[in-house]
Amino acid sequence: MSFRLAAYAVCIEDGRVLLARHVPTEGESNWTLPGGRVEHGEDPFDAVIREVAEETGCAAVVNRLLGVDSRVIPAAVARAGGEHQNVGVFYRVRITGGRPRPEPNGDVAESAWTPFAHVAGLRRSSLVDIGLALAQTLPATGHVAPVPVGGLIQH
């Protein structure tokens, strides 16, 4: 089983969330939270700030830790072809500068402030639903129930 530690940013402002449209080499694009893999030796706190800058062009500061999500993605739907575990550290962040833009030489085709009411109609990563659930409920345990995947929601 492959493993990845990642850090994700939940940027909420005026009833909108900052999303990034990920365009993989194969398959359909989907909307996700800014964030990604924590590099070897990197602190997830630093990784989320770096990832926001790389993927969206925006500067950010971390306001708080929201929680941690761990999920095993079955081999049948994992991009790597085998079972994959993703452990995501979710942070509430505030954008302090910059403007949303595509990721230069990357997989993010665009970043956009998206009204909450429009999120449910987007083809999106389950990370979006997890991050919004953590931000809205602020569970003391830092954990939310698993998000069902299917339809417009993807791994």
Side-chain angles (χ1 to χ4, degrees), residues 54-112:
E54 288 175 4
E55 292 184 353
T56 71
C58 295
V61 295
V62 172
N63 285 347
R64 68 170 290 149
L65 173 67
L66 291 172
V68 176
D69 179 71
S70 175
R71 65 188 48 244
V72 173
I73 302 169
V77 293
R79 282 181 268 172
E83 267 190 333
H84 174 75
Q85 181 182 12
N86 189 71
V87 174
V89 181
F90 290 78
Y91 293 97
R92 175 73 184 258
V93 305
R94 181 172 50 84
I95 299 301
T96 59
R99 299 178 70 122
R101 53 103 175 112
E103 180 182 20
N105 305 311
D107 295 336
V108 174
E110 65 180 305
S111 297

Side-chain angles (χ1 to χ4, degrees), residues 8-147:
Y8 301 103
V10 182
C11 313
I12 297 173
E13 185 179 291
D14 301 326
R16 304 172 302 163
V17 59
L18 183 61
L19 297 178
R21 188 167 60 87
H22 180 256
V23 180
T25 357
E26 296 178 14
E28 294 183 57
S29 70
N30 65 27
W31 290 90
T32 190
L33 295 173
R37 183 167 55 97
V38 176
E39 303 292 338
H40 184 73
E42 185 178 30
D43 188 310
F45 185 94
D46 297 326
V48 75
I49 293 168
R50 174 184 54 76
E51 286 284 347
V52 169
E54 288 175 4
E55 292 184 353
T56 71
C58 295
V61 295
V62 172
N63 285 347
R64 68 170 290 149
L65 173 67
L66 291 172
V68 176
D69 179 71
S70 175
R71 65 188 48 244
V72 173
I73 302 169
V77 293
R79 282 181 268 172
E83 267 190 333
H84 174 75
Q85 181 182 12
N86 189 71
V87 174
V89 181
F90 290 78
Y91 293 97
R92 175 73 184 258
V93 305
R94 181 172 50 84
I95 299 301
T96 59
R99 299 178 70 122
R101 53 103 175 112
E103 180 182 20
N105 305 311
D107 295 336
V108 174
E110 65 180 305
S111 297
W113 287 102
T114 307
F116 290 142
H118 296 168
V119 172
L122 297 175
R123 179 180 167 83
R124 65 197 182 279
S125 167
S126 59
L127 299 170
V128 174
D129 293 55
I130 295 163
L132 289 177
L134 285 167
Q136 291 166 349
T137 62
L138 297 175
T141 61
H143 190 264
V144 293
V147 171

